Amino acid sequence: MAVNLTALQVMQDAPVIPVIVLNDVAHAVPMARALVAGGIRMLEVTLRTPQALACMEAIAKEVPGAVVGAGTVRSAADAAAAAKAGAQFAVSPGYTKAVGQACRDNGLSLLPGVATGSEIMMAQEHGYTELKFFPAMQAGGPNMLKAWSGPFFDVKFCPTGGVTQVNALELLALPNVACVGGSWLVPADALAQGDWARIEALAREAAQLPR
């Protein structure tokens, strides 16, 4: 795939972007292969563990069908480290101008996190119209997205946080939702057990969600 992906291309690739927490580099490649086999290629590996960057690097080098993204990008240093590890896109829990600029400088498309109208306006001022709504269910869920569809008619959202197989359908049905972010595709127990078949099955199910 082209290296210079837009945020919209990342969001439109599949109905779900998996939010992945990896504690063991040995899990990274087989997990990524299982997700890709199930039809999910945009993989958000969160910078929440000491092994995250090494996991990104392994996936970028060894799983040609995968597009690695870095989640929990909170600083310019995070963005630079993620790009060096082979990430092609970044997802942040909030938004600052510095993070936005660092992602641009490092060639990463960014899905900035927003939870209020002011944050949406700030992100839009800096050219971002594809945004992560986080924490989605805790910050108002589908009703908040419906309310935003009027004033922010030109914004597409990826709700993340509290999203499950059950409520994903309601979110994906909204016209301003391009995809959702979910951690259910890579359950901790499936990782621990090396149950790649289960992860592939969850990915296959997620890839077929209507939107």
Side-chain angles (χ1 to χ4, degrees):
M1 295 192 68
V3 173
N4 292 323
L5 287 169
T6 65
L8 190 60
Q9 284 172 317
V10 172
M11 289 167 87
Q12 288 177 336
D13 199 69
V16 185
I17 296 175
V19 179
I20 303 162
V21 180
L22 289 168
N23 291 292
D24 187 343
V25 180
H27 291 157
V29 169
M31 175 222 62
R33 285 187 178 138
L35 288 168
V36 170
I40 301 288
R41 302 182 299 173
M42 302 291 159
L43 312 184
E44 179 191 335
V45 178
T46 59
L47 293 172
R48 296 181 193 179
T49 68
Q51 294 80 14
L53 290 166
C55 290
M56 283 181 212
E57 205 167 323
I59 295 167
K61 280 182 182 163
E62 296 181 48
V63 189
V67 178
V68 180
T72 324
V73 172
R74 298 183 302 162
S75 65
D78 283 349
K84 192 177 174 189
Q88 294 185 36
F89 68 94
V91 185
S92 58
Y95 176 70
T96 67
K97 193 173 182 180
V99 164
Q101 191 57 53
C103 287
R104 286 198 172 105
D105 292 346
N106 286 282
L108 297 171
S109 56
L110 173 66
L111 281 177
V114 298
T116 67
S118 298
E119 290 167 0
I120 295 171
M121 288 165 66
M122 196 192 310
Q124 280 196 290
E125 266 182 30
H126 299 147
Y128 294 99
T129 52
E130 287 81 36
L131 309 176
K132 164 178 154 169
F133 175 31
F134 177 81
M137 298 312 291
Q138 297 86 340
N143 287 335
M144 182 69 99
L145 287 158
K146 285 173 192 168
W148 279 345
S149 67
F152 302 116
F153 58 89
D154 51 351
V155 175
K156 291 284 185 199
F157 294 97
C158 171
T160 306
V163 179
T164 64
Q165 281 161 298
V166 178
N167 60 28
L169 286 169
E170 186 184 357
L171 291 162
L172 288 165
L174 298 172
N176 57 347
V177 170
C179 67
V180 299
S183 56
W184 81 85
L185 277 72
V186 185
D189 59 338
L191 275 177
Q193 293 154 13
D195 192 346
W196 315 122
R198 182 175 161 210
I199 289 174
E200 183 179 339
L202 287 167
R204 199 172 296 283
E205 214 172 81
Q208 289 162 5
L209 287 171
R211 55 174 170 170

